[in-house]
Amino acid sequence: MVDVTIRGAGIFGLSIAWACARRGASVQVIDPNGPAAGASGGIVGALAPHVPENWNSKKAFQLESLLMAGDFWQDVETAGGVPAGYGRTGRLQPIADDRTLDLARQRAVNAGSLWQGEAVWEIVQTADLGPFAPSSATGHVIHDTLSARIHPRRACAALVAALEVRGVPIILEAPDRGQIVHATGVDGLADLSRDRGKTVGVGVKGQAALLRFDAGDSPQLFVDGLHLIPHADGTLAIGSTSERDYDAPQTTDTLLDDVIDRAVAAMPILRGVAVVERWAGIRPRAKSRAPMLGRWPERPGHFIANGGFKIGFGMAPKVAEVMADLVLEGHDTVPEDFKVEASL
């Protein structure tokens, strides 16, 4: 007897399957393309918080998820024996001018209360940092200790391994049984948009690169609109573009060349470093710009988990728990602006 069918083996689908299986549910995961075949098979993995101001339910949800992430990924790795590449290594951001410096200081005060003492947002001098740090016109950078890194496709592989230990198969096709969770990313948004006769979400293309550069456990950088993420395997991810118009969803082009050039300009230490992989994929963005979670209004027993866009991996631990609460126990703690109706 299958209690839950998850359609979609990306980060949301796999994480929800894991949360349900840990609670004793019988689960099957169905994806005709296999695990992490879409946006979840990427390479960047920046688990970075929104700025600590103008607080709302999305930022609060993200904070809780980021604080849950260490235990979540440790449990997954312990169960399946496969590393996810998670590490709460923090982040550095250069401060361009005095106005931005004043704003950063105010945000540091905000973080002191909003982040519950679990992490800090502080201003530090570039002179106090090591070689893998950005230059800054003011001589100062923002350092936050909440940001973390993860290797997206390795994290999905870790979840698959943990699910296998629990007896949860990842299969190409099978009949729906039990409660049905649709975590089908861009294809799911397209299907919903066709059904509704209006756009409820879109796919946004992203391009990223992986460099052979070992920065160890250095903090990730956010410079010139780019994320630079030192991974635990001795590579450095750089990304990404955000393209609403595209012809070749999985093809990289000169836009990625520009991303690499900008990264080298910001961090000359990367000049001449080998590019070991170029990646492109389509990320699902719901109309509300928040994750789309909850019951499918017209289909009893069906649920939707979609719209992770750029923050899906950071949101996944909390998404998994609230969806397991809803699907298995009927306990609805999904924020109002995340609910499916908010995008439909």
Side-chain angles (χ1 to χ4, degrees):
M1 178 64 183
V2 174
D3 299 315
V4 182
T5 295
I6 311 287
R7 286 202 167 268
I11 184 58
F12 277 6
L14 293 172
S15 297
I16 295 166
W18 171 244
C20 290
R22 289 192 68 200
R23 299 188 190 193
S26 175
V27 183
Q28 64 176 359
V29 180
I30 301 171
D31 194 315
N33 300 307
S40 295
I43 56 178
V44 179
L47 310 186
H50 290 95
V51 294
E53 64 182 10
N54 300 323
W55 207 240
N56 56 34
S57 59
K58 181 179 178 180
K59 292 185 178 185
F61 190 101
Q62 184 199 43
L63 173 64
E64 291 181 37
S65 193
L66 291 173
L67 294 177
M68 293 168 60
D71 289 341
F72 179 89
W73 290 110
Q74 182 60 60
D75 289 344
V76 169
E77 292 180 351
T78 299
V82 174
Y86 174 83
R88 189 169 149 184
T89 50
R91 177 179 60 171
L92 301 175
Q93 303 176 69
I95 300 174
D97 51 42
D98 289 340
R99 176 184 172 278
T100 309
L101 181 59
D102 289 340
L103 183 59
R105 286 173 173 150
Q106 180 56 54
R107 287 170 174 170
V109 174
N110 294 344
S113 58
L114 295 172
W115 287 2
Q116 307 167 18
E118 298 288 345
V120 297
W121 171 294
E122 61 183 352
I123 314 304
V124 299
Q125 295 184 341
T126 54
D128 297 332
L129 304 171
F132 191 73
S135 61
S136 172
T138 61
H140 295 83
V141 299
I142 299 163
H143 173 230
D144 83 74
T145 62
L146 182 56
S147 294
R149 68 182 182 195
I150 201 161
H151 195 298
R153 66 179 63 142
R154 291 174 186 259
C156 289
L159 279 163
V160 170
L163 287 166
E164 287 177 350
V165 171
R166 291 269 180 172
V168 177
I170 315 295
I171 51 185
L172 299 183
E173 191 51 79
D176 290 338
R177 295 186 176 92
Q179 308 275 60
I180 319 301
V181 178
H182 300 263
T184 49
V186 171
D187 290 343
L189 292 179
D191 289 342
L192 281 168
S193 295
R194 281 192 294 270
D195 288 347
R196 291 275 166 171
K198 66 177 183 179
T199 300
V200 301
V202 297
V204 179
K205 181 177 178 179
Q207 299 186 49
L210 201 63
L211 278 58
R212 193 178 305 283
F213 183 87
D214 190 352
D217 290 332
S218 298
Q220 62 185 266
L221 311 180
F222 185 64
V223 185
D224 189 24
L226 300 177
H227 296 279
L228 288 80
I229 315 297
H231 283 307
D233 63 358
T235 60
L236 177 75
I238 298 173
S240 62
T241 63
S242 288
E243 305 165 49
R244 294 288 296 270
D245 298 315
Y246 49 84
D247 296 318
Q250 296 180 323
T251 300
T252 61
D253 53 34
T254 56
L255 292 179
L256 181 56
D257 296 333
D258 178 64
V259 165
I260 296 170
D261 290 345
R262 286 162 54 203
V264 171
M267 293 291 293
I269 193 173
L270 300 177
R271 194 172 307 280
V273 171
V275 177
V276 297
E277 183 176 352
R278 296 165 64 96
W279 178 89
I282 309 301
R283 299 160 298 188
R285 193 189 78 174
K287 181 180 178 181
S288 67
R289 300 183 66 90
M292 183 190 297
L293 307 175
R295 302 180 190 276
W296 193 328
E298 297 87 3
R299 299 179 65 177
H302 289 250
F303 304 82
I304 293 173
N306 208 322
F309 192 35
K310 296 181 180 181
I311 57 175
F313 279 83
M315 292 287 209
K318 182 71 172 174
V319 165
E321 290 302 313
V322 299
M323 289 301 294
D325 285 343
L326 180 59
V327 172
L328 298 180
E329 302 171 19
H331 182 46
D332 190 348
T333 58
V334 175
E336 288 299 320
D337 51 349
F338 283 24
K339 291 186 176 179
V340 175
E341 297 88 337
S343 287
L344 297 184

